[in-house]
Structure formats: structure tokens, C-alpha cells
Amino acid sequence: WLKTQHYPSMSRTSSAVATAAGAAAVAGPLAAAFAASPQVSRPQTLRGSNASQGKSSTAGSAGSEAFPATMAALGAATAVAAAVKGRAARGATSMRRAVPSAVRVAQPRSSGVAQKAVPAGASESARFSSVSMRSAAVAEAPTMTTYEVGQKVHGWTCMRGEYIKEFGCTGYLFQHDKTGAELMSMVQPADENKTFSVVFRTPPENSNGIAHVLEHSVLCGSRKYPLKEPFVELMKSSLQTFLNAMTFPDRTCYPVASCNLKDFYNLIDVYMDAVFHPRAVSDPRVLAQEGWHYEVEEKDKPLTYKGVVFNEMKGVYSNPDSSHGRLANQAMFPDNQYGVDSGGDPKVIPSLTFDYFKDFHAKYYHPSNAKFWFYGDDPADARLELVDKFLSEFDKIEVDSTILKQPLFSEPRTVTDEFAVGEDEDISKKTMVSVNWVTSEEKEDLQTSLAMQFLNYLMMGTAASPLYKALVDSGMGSRVIGGGLDDSMLQATFSVGLKDIKEEDVPKVEELVTKTLQELADNGFESDAVKAAINTIEFQNRELNTGSFPKGLALMFATNTNWNYGKDPFEPLKFDAPLAELKQRLEEGEPVFQDLIKSKLLNNKHKVIVKSTPSKELGKQIEEEEKKELEEHRKKLNEADIEELIKETALLKEIQEKPDSPDAMKTVPRLELSDIAKETPKIPTEVKGSDPVTLVHALPTSGVVYADVAFDLSLVPKELLPLVPIFTSCLKQLGTAKGDFVSLTRRIGMSTGGINASTMCMNKRGDSKPVAYLFIRGKSMAPQVPELADLIQEIALTVNWDNKERVVQLAQQARSGAQSGIISSGHAVANTELAAQTTEAGWLNSQWGGLSQYAYLSKLLEEIEGGGWEAVRQRLQALQACIFNKATCKVVNLTSDADNLDAAQATLETFTSALPADESSGPALLNPSLGRRAEGFVVPTQVNYVGKGGNLYESGYEYHGSSLVISKLLGATYLWDKVRVSGGAYGGFCRFDPRSGDFRYLSYRDPNLGKTLDAYDGAPEFLKEIELGEDELSKAIIGCMGDIDAYLLPDAKGYQAMLRYLLEEDDVYRQKVRDEILSTKVDDFHKFASSLTSVAEKGGICVVGSKEACEEAKDKYGMTLTSPFANAAGSAE
């Protein structure tokens, strides 16, 4: 079962800006992680230091909700690709570098060691419902290295071997003879995206954030690599497809991935030395930098707390959803490690001492407590030899890293707490409530766990699922929270509730949940719902479309849901037999799901009602308590102590900003430019027909057909543009001429792998007009393409626009999600609003996904509630007419195996030929009011998100591919050091858009405002003075090429090719840019600096931050301050 967590995209790298960062999105196991998944808000209760960033592509999977921004991790009995929005759960992680990624996974069962290693052999063919997938997962296993049980290789003993027919790979479990470490070696010759990880069980004792801080700190230099941060050097110079570190509630994980074998070994070497021999345990300043320290720069200035994790967690604790989730965890697990915060509570983090820090590392970061993982086409023997070289100097020790079980309650409980809101917010409907259960005393048996996953999907997995739908239809709240089943840890939980309700409705929500569960326990589920669930889950299992996230890591996270608790690590990967058994039980009429509802939920006494109420005073109270604590500490210091702190503050900053020595830099392994292909990779594309053009991509997809239909939005009248996002959401959610949306959802689930509608708006080279499209994307097995085409036509042309109640629900959900995003993903807001100052595409993106859209949603709801529904309905119908017609349908994009494409093309033509004629009068004239300005958006938060931007083309810069190298290096060096390391922000980075010329700086969870803007303005001088040796320049180029040649799955390749076609970026142009990148010179940096000066001198500013910080900076920067929540009902213009 797969769980995924979507993390804020502030990355440690200059190139990552996450589109949906913040409110972590966890794709629930077999359930919520599917194309049809509804929006479920699960409070983020884990933290992260995103150490890595899987390179995210702009291409998502057809039918998915948010593949570009999420990743998937496979779990026991099912492997599903993540596609849910807005769910974060206790199983998720903290990551060293803030980027879109983080994983949680699911779970369990029996242990036991096979007596004989299983040689690679032929597997059965896969057969399931409407899906019959030809894939590597069911192909005959290729010849490869094999081991026998008991065989000794390079200091390891083979304990077990299994051929995993579901994924077409052979796995071996080894134990290290000298230390007792365990290693899973998954041999998969068909996958070049090689993956490695080492996982330590790290149960925290309290909320001082030790596991999280240590996860950050070990990557700050080591015995073999005596740099400040070799991690950053890897970011700059590696072809990695994933590079991160993650802190879970009970374990810490260090995963890497690369398609290049030499690069893969380099990554492993740096990570292994980092975890076992970190500089951090001998240098207290690493703890000070990454964790916390007192800071004071002048004698008369107040003390402050600084530290990357400290400020990261202040951002997390500013999110109301996170606050509610944390409260639920503490209430459900008062007696074990899950009741504390492994990420760290900002109130408790300053209690973390250096001795405690060192002792924690010595206790848990030992090979005897380590689990290693390899997957891919790299040589199997070399894996064992490589790891043994690091472990051979250790001896086995006993490590007590036991995860304690939470005793189950004898009676239900209720807890209440507050969360901070802005002073000018309306709090009459801001209460949150959830009903929460711990559903097991320990890991469930395989059948129970699998059945619970199916039950979760049936109840919560789609907008039509009965429990989810009952809560939405109640009208009491704006959005479902809780996320349903979470079985990623030792004990599974189930949580569900509503946010934005009246406080007096709290009992009604609990009553509704109980009533709905009782009805399901009494009556069961409709047969079509069960069929749709089975088809959807099996499709996702076979496809294992993990987007930009490496498949090997998805499998690794799955195994760890068992392995971490002493259970069988192979079991989560072998889902065929248990799925067949469950289906057989259902066919025989066994009330599997009804019995589980009764035993796990209705009759379960370990139940907690969690209520969170808004407080306008809490934010100020937290700030005042911190100030008082610091003042009390200062009173204990004499003048000499203060002088010492001032010196230490200055010394720490000096060390942080001092470059590493050339000798230290040379220790970091890297590729050579000669390892980089000179020719740009090409995606097979055949252009057929016209009006619409059909693009076909013959790629191996295991029998899946991915279809995208692109509709031009340039004909949409300006007054209708803000309605486009809600219109897009409505397409699958209102029902059609053939039935209500429940019926539609089930038919999609029974016949396809998912259908999704989304919009795109981008700049185009040499054109001031935006390129804007609405895509309907779907996927199915080749025999089901006719059903897929029929459903796409039904959705586009026969939507039931009379469903007022459902439109209101969708608008309320969108507004609630937007508000959460403004608080948790302020960097994304700043990025959007800065773009809106300079280009029509930027303006339009704000109308669709920025503060303008948030304001418009409030205005729209007011209009409907005020009796204006008929006018809204007519506008929605007008949108349908001007979007879905022959003139606007520009491209049909098909990706599949070669022998499926002709039939798929013919079938999709039946849809395009059925489109009505064009009724529009021509392209809409937007003419938005553009211009640079300084804006501050005040929200209830303890941190800031600081942005500044300008247009380099306006200053005379002519695009050259070297700008991509320069931007990446600037983010990974200067901004990393100034904004993150020295400034204490969780992330600092920059983005350059070659199509428009816009250059933007952004920070994430930043304790500063003015200092960060000053740092931005110092960037041109840094580039003017930069001197790079041949090695450093080559590393910068190689790192940039890693982004350019990002790993893509077949469906993503097809989608990417379509975007290039729409943007007129052909292979000739791409080769020109590639040549310029590879020929980058130091002089290019100096030239770029001159143009970048224009951003410092006349760039626009956008800050999303606290009231105190914004008001303090208002006059100096001439900022106009507004509260988006107070003005939500204002004009969207």
C-alpha cells in the first residue's frame, strides 16, 4: 500500500519551487492515492528537512490529480501512484531540503525466512477485472546474479531470496556477519534508475527534534569529506534523480537515486560516510546552525533564536491543519513515541543539548541498527562489497530502538485546543473536529490490513465515497480532514472530520460519522462501488506510476513498513495472492468490510474526538512567551557573556560564509563533462492530421494508453477567466446526462485508470500572449480505450450544470484549500504574485491559482448565496461552449506501445468529431494592469516567505543557456549560504524563466525579511566577483544537465513532448540551448550579473509574512500591506 507525502517545495536547491508545497499531501494507501481521489486535508504532523529533491517534471500521469508535485511509495499488498491533494499524516517525514517529496508508507505482516533462495523464474501473467497488463512486472525474469541461502559474499550472508513477480525483480535479504546490519538487494535489470537508502530506527523520547536535527546535521561534512556541506556539492554537480533525507516519527531515512552508475556510487559514498562519521558530532556549531542557537549581533539588541530546523518547525506550527493533526496524534498516542513530535516543537527544540545530540547519534546511527536497500540494474555483488567497506570497522552492539505499543483505551476520550488565526479573520466558522481511532495493538495480519485498505478506499477514496460524501453533503464544513486510514507506522489509525464548522456543530459531525458507519455496517457497499475500487487499485498496482519519484524508492518505503517492525520485508511487495484471496472472500458473500467497520471503528473504544478552535490571541501569546523566555535568559548573562555571544554569532556567520578550501572541495567525487551526452535526448513523436493535430509517441507502456486532449483557452472572455478553475473541477463532479457524479465516478473506476481535467498557462518565447490550455487527461488499458473516449466525451459535453449544491461544495473546498496554502506555501504565493506583476501569463496564473482566485472564490460564494445562482450557472454553460468545440481542440496526444496507437487514434477521433462548432468571436483581449510594486500579505504565521523579482530581458539581457547553470549555482551557493545557512531560513532559491525573462528570488520559512532582501540585492556582486576553476565550472554544468535530462516515465515523456509542441520548442532549439549550457564560461556569470543588477535596483517585492515583520518593513520598502483573509470577499481584479 502506498503512502506518499508531499512537502513544501522550498528546496535546498535553487531550482525547486513546489507548486503545492506546504499542506502535505499524502496519498493514502490503496485509497486516496488515485486519480479520482477527493480533496482530503490531513494535518501535517511530521516535519521535514527535505534533504532531497526528486527532480519533478512538469509532466504528470494522465488521469492523476497532482503527479508533478507528488510522489508515491508502495506498500504492502498494493502499489499505487500518488494522486491525492492536501493530506499529510503522522507517518510522513521531515526532510533536510524542502522540496516536493517525502514518503510514508503502509504496512505489515508475517515474518519468517524462506529455507531456500528462489531462483529467478517465469512469473504468471497478471489478470484482473478489466485490466490485463503486459509489463515487466509479469514478464519472465531475465538471467542475473543469483545467491543461495547461507551463501557468504563480501562479509554478508544470504538469509533469503524471493522472485517478486509483481515487479519482475529478484530480491535477496542479507545479514552482515560482523555487525548484524541487514541489506535488501533488489535486482532489476530493466530499471536504469538505481536506488539506495540506509534507514535507522530512531524513536524520539521527547519533542526536542533530535532525530530531525540530526538528519539535517550529518550531511554537513564528514571524515572523508571535510566540507561544510558535501550535500550541497552533490546538489550542484550530480545527475541524481533523487537526493534527500527524511525523518519519520520512528525512523530516519537517507535515500539517493541516479541513472548513472558512477554518479550512483559517488552519492552512496558521500551518504555512507556522512551517517557513520559526521563532522556534526565533534563540532557544536553544526547543531547551532541546523538546530538552534542564541543569536545577538549588538550589545543593545535582544536575543533571538536561530536555526534551520527551529524556523522550519515554526512554519509547520503556524499551519492550523498541522496543529490539529499534532493534537490528534498526541491524544491517540499519549504513552509511546508517536505522542511526541519527531520533527521538533519550537518551544522544546532549545532544550536540545550537544551531549544529547552526540549520544543519540552514537546509540542509533550504528550498523547494528541499520537497514540498507539497493534496487536497479547496478551489479549485485558490488553492492555488498561497497557497504562492507564501511561496516568492517564496526563491531556488533545491542541497540534498543524498540517502538513501544500504545495500550488501547477502555473508553473514548475528547480533547480540545486552539490554533492561531489573524486578528481580522471571521472566526464564526473556523472550528475543526475529527474522529480518530487507533485500530490495532500491533501490525495487522496481511488479509486484515489489505481489507482495511480497500475499505478505506471505498469509504474515503473518491468524492463519491459514502463517508466522504456524507460529510461534504452535510454542509457543515468546507473540507474533509483526517485522511482516513494511516497504517504506515506500528499501529494503524483512522481519522476523519471537517474543518471550518461552527463550534456548536462539533457533536453533529461525530453523530454523522457514526450514523454513516452504522449504515455501511448494516447494508454494505453497492457492487459497482466494489468493482470500481478493485479495478482502480489493481490498475495502479500494475502500472506503479510513481511520476518523477524513483520506483525503487517506492518499493523501499513499502518494505520498511514491515521491515522497521521486525516483519517480513518482502510481504508488502507480493500482492497478487492476497488480492485474489480477498476477492474470493467477497465473491463468496463474506461481509468482510461490514465486519471491519464494526470491529475497527464502531465497537472500538480507542476513539478520540479532537476539537480545534480558532484564537486571535494565540499567535501573539506564542510570540510574547518566546520573547519573555529570551529576556529571562538574557538577565542571567553578564556583560562578558553577552560579548561572548556577540563574538560567537559573528564567528558562526563567518564560518558559514567562508568558502571551503580547494583541497576539501577536491575530495567530493564527481562526474566529468565527458560523461554527459552532447546530443539532446529525443522523444519519439509523430505528428498526424490537423484540426486537431494528433501527436503519437511509441513508448513501452505495458499496454496502457495515455491520452491527453488539449483545448485552447485564448477564446475565453476576460470576465469568465476567474471561473475557469471551478469549471475545471466541476467536469467530473456534477454528474452528466447519464447519471449523477457517484455513478460517473464508479464508471470511470470500473473502466479506466483515471480521468482528470487541469489547466496550464505558460509564457512562450518571443510572444507576450500567454499559452493557456485546458487538458482532459485519461488512461486505460488498450481494450478499454473506447470506454475512455466515451467518458471523456460525456464529461466534456453533457455536464449537469443544474447541481447548485455541488458547485457550492467545490467552491468551498477550493477556498479552504487555498487559505491553507497561503499560510503553508507562502513562497508559492509570492512567486505567483511577482509573476503577475510582469506578464499576462503571470497575471492569468494569479487569476487561476493566486490571491486573485482566493478572493474570487469568496466573491462567487457570496453571489450564489445572495440569489445569483442562475447567473453563475449561465456563465458555467458559456464556458463549456467556448472551451469544448472544434476550433479550440488543438491537440490529441497519445502515448502507448506502438501496436496500440492506430486504434487509439481512431477511437479518440470519434470524440473530437463530435465536438460542436465554434461559437466564439475571437481571442479575448486581457490587457491586465502590469507593473512592479512592493506588496506585503499579512497572515497568521511565525515565519516569512520573501520574494523579489524583475525582468532581465527589459534590461537588455539576451537569453543564453548558461543562465540555467548560473541560476542553479547561485541558489546552491550564495543563496544557500546567505538565506538558509546564515539567515536560518528553511530554504532560499531563485528561478529564471527563459520564456519570459522573469528572474525571481524566494525564501521559505524565513525568520527574516529585510536581511533576506539585502541578500538578494547582493547577488549581482557575488556573480561579478565569482572565479570558478575548471573543476567547479564543470560541476555546475553537470548539475544543470541533471535537471535538463530529468528522468521521465513514458507517460511523462509523451506529456512533455506535447508541451514542447504547444510552446514551439523543437529539438533544434533544445540542442542549441544544450550546446550553450555545455559551453558555459566564467565570463557568462559576469555578464549575467550586470543584467541581474536591474532586479536589485527596480525589482518588485512580494512578502507573505507575519504582521510584525511586514509592518516593520513597510516604510523602508514602500510596501502596501493587505490581509488576504480579511479581504477575501473583495474584488478579484
Side-chain angles (χ1 to χ4, degrees), residues 711-729 759-761 769-774 839-850 852-857 860 872 874-876 878-880 882-883 888 922-929 1132-1133:
F711 295 90
D712 185 5
L713 296 176
S714 65
L715 301 181
V716 176
K718 183 177 180 180
E719 65 273 13
L720 294 181
L721 285 172
L723 195 58
V724 167
I726 282 296
F727 170 85
T728 306
S729 298
T759 57
M760 176 275 281
C761 179
K769 297 302 178 184
V771 176
Y773 283 86
L774 185 150
T839 67
E840 288 193 8
W843 175 85
L844 191 50
N845 278 319
S846 179
Q847 296 296 308
W848 288 349
S852 295
Q853 175 65 194
Y854 176 71
Y856 179 80
L857 288 168
L860 179 69
V872 172
Q874 290 177 6
R875 295 204 297 272
L876 288 167
L879 268 177
Q880 182 181 32
C882 69
I883 293 175
T888 58
L925 297 177
L926 302 183
N927 296 323
S929 177
E1133 287 293 318

Side-chain angles (χ1 to χ4, degrees), residues 218-238:
V218 299
L219 293 167
C220 293
S222 63
R223 184 175 69 183
K224 188 175 179 180
Y225 303 107
L227 290 79
K228 291 183 298 181
E229 298 203 64
F231 175 87
V232 178
E233 294 306 309
L234 294 177
M235 288 196 306
K236 290 192 296 185
S237 60
S238 169

Side-chain angles (χ1 to χ4, degrees), residues 324-335:
H324 185 86
R326 187 166 52 252
L327 180 62
N329 288 341
Q330 292 168 349
M332 287 189 289
F333 296 97
D335 306 311

Side-chain angles (χ1 to χ4, degrees), residues 472-715:
V472 173
D473 287 350
S474 72
M476 288 187 283
S478 67
R479 206 155 51 127
V480 176
I481 61 173
L485 182 69
D486 176 2
D487 56 4
S488 60
M489 300 292 120
L490 178 63
Q491 291 170 275
T493 64
F494 189 91
S495 302
V496 67
L498 280 172
K499 70 178 297 184
D500 296 335
I501 68 171
K502 296 178 181 178
E503 189 169 1
E504 57 265 30
D505 285 343
V506 167
K508 296 178 184 177
V509 174
E510 181 190 2
E511 291 168 6
L512 177 59
V513 169
T514 302
K515 175 176 176 289
T516 305
L517 290 175
Q518 189 62 61
E519 290 173 352
L520 292 172
D522 292 340
N523 305 319
F525 297 87
E526 295 181 22
S527 61
D528 281 355
V530 177
K531 290 177 183 177
I534 290 173
N535 184 71
T536 300
I537 290 166
E538 291 189 324
F539 187 103
Q540 300 289 358
N541 288 346
R542 307 295 176 181
E543 183 191 29
L544 187 56
N545 192 322
T546 57
S548 61
F549 188 67
K551 288 185 178 182
L553 293 184
L555 301 180
M556 180 274 292
F557 283 112
T559 62
N560 266 279
T561 59
N562 263 18
W563 201 9
N564 195 55
Y565 309 106
K567 300 290 186 178
D568 178 5
F570 290 97
E571 187 178 70
L573 310 180
K574 298 156 59 180
F575 54 79
D576 269 353
L579 276 177
E581 184 179 342
L582 177 60
K583 287 159 66 175
Q584 182 64 33
R585 292 169 64 194
L586 294 173
E587 289 172 5
E588 292 172 354
E590 183 179 343
V592 177
F593 302 130
Q594 294 95 309
D595 290 347
L596 286 174
I597 291 172
K598 293 172 185 175
S599 63
K600 299 296 183 182
L601 302 175
L602 290 173
N603 299 331
N604 182 357
K605 299 297 184 182
H606 196 109
K607 172 183 175 181
V608 184
I609 308 301
V610 178
K611 180 176 76 171
S612 297
T613 58
S615 169
K616 295 185 177 182
E617 304 299 323
L618 182 60
K620 290 186 293 184
Q621 179 184 327
I622 292 172
E623 290 179 11
E624 290 168 1
E625 287 176 355
E626 182 179 309
K627 288 180 181 178
K628 183 178 179 181
E629 185 177 271
L630 289 164
E631 288 169 359
E632 291 296 322
H633 180 72
R634 182 169 183 135
K635 289 177 183 178
K636 299 175 185 177
L637 305 177
N638 56 36
E639 282 197 24
D641 294 330
I642 295 295
E643 286 297 331
E644 185 61 30
L645 266 181
I646 292 173
K647 290 180 181 178
E648 182 57 32
T649 297
L651 180 58
L652 179 60
K653 289 185 181 298
E654 180 184 340
I655 293 171
Q656 290 170 334
E657 297 179 13
K658 182 180 179 180
D660 288 303
S661 70
D663 288 342
M665 294 291 287
K666 289 178 182 178
T667 64
V668 180
R670 69 172 181 86
L671 299 174
E672 303 296 333
L673 274 179
S674 58
D675 296 318
I676 306 300
K678 300 298 184 288
E679 186 174 345
T680 190
K682 296 178 175 60
I683 298 171
T685 303
E686 185 177 357
V687 182
K688 297 184 175 183
S690 61
D691 300 324
V693 164
T694 298
L695 306 178
V696 295
H697 315 284
L699 292 165
T701 63
S702 302
V704 179
V705 174
Y706 298 95
D708 312 305
V709 187
F711 295 90
D712 185 5
L713 296 176
S714 65
L715 301 181

Side-chain angles (χ1 to χ4, degrees), residues 203-205 249-250 333 335-342 401-405:
E205 297 176 323
D250 58 12
F333 296 97
D335 306 311
N336 77 347
Q337 293 97 332
Y338 298 150
V340 301
D341 191 340
S342 65
S401 57
T402 304
I403 312 301
L404 302 176
K405 297 176 184 176

Side-chain angles (χ1 to χ4, degrees), residues 976-1030:
W976 179 266
D977 290 339
K978 287 286 187 179
V979 178
R980 178 185 166 109
V981 176
S982 179
Y986 186 16
F989 43 95
C990 58
R991 299 297 303 272
F992 176 59
D993 179 359
R995 300 183 181 100
S996 68
D998 271 2
F999 186 95
R1000 294 186 286 276
Y1001 301 100
L1002 298 163
S1003 72
Y1004 182 74
R1005 291 180 184 167
D1006 191 344
N1008 306 307
L1009 195 163
K1011 287 183 179 179
T1012 299
L1013 290 172
D1014 291 343
Y1016 296 161
D1017 291 347
E1021 193 63 27
F1022 168 80
L1023 292 177
K1024 286 178 184 177
E1025 298 178 355
I1026 197 169
E1027 293 298 334
L1028 298 174
E1030 184 178 342

Side-chain angles (χ1 to χ4, degrees), residues 172 244 261 263 301 415 440 442 510 615 626 790 818 905 927 983:
Y172 298 94
N244 213 337
L261 183 62
D263 188 47
K301 296 289 185 179
V415 298
S440 64
E442 56 186 353
E510 181 190 2
S615 169
E626 182 179 309
D790 287 345
Q905 180 183 354
N927 296 323

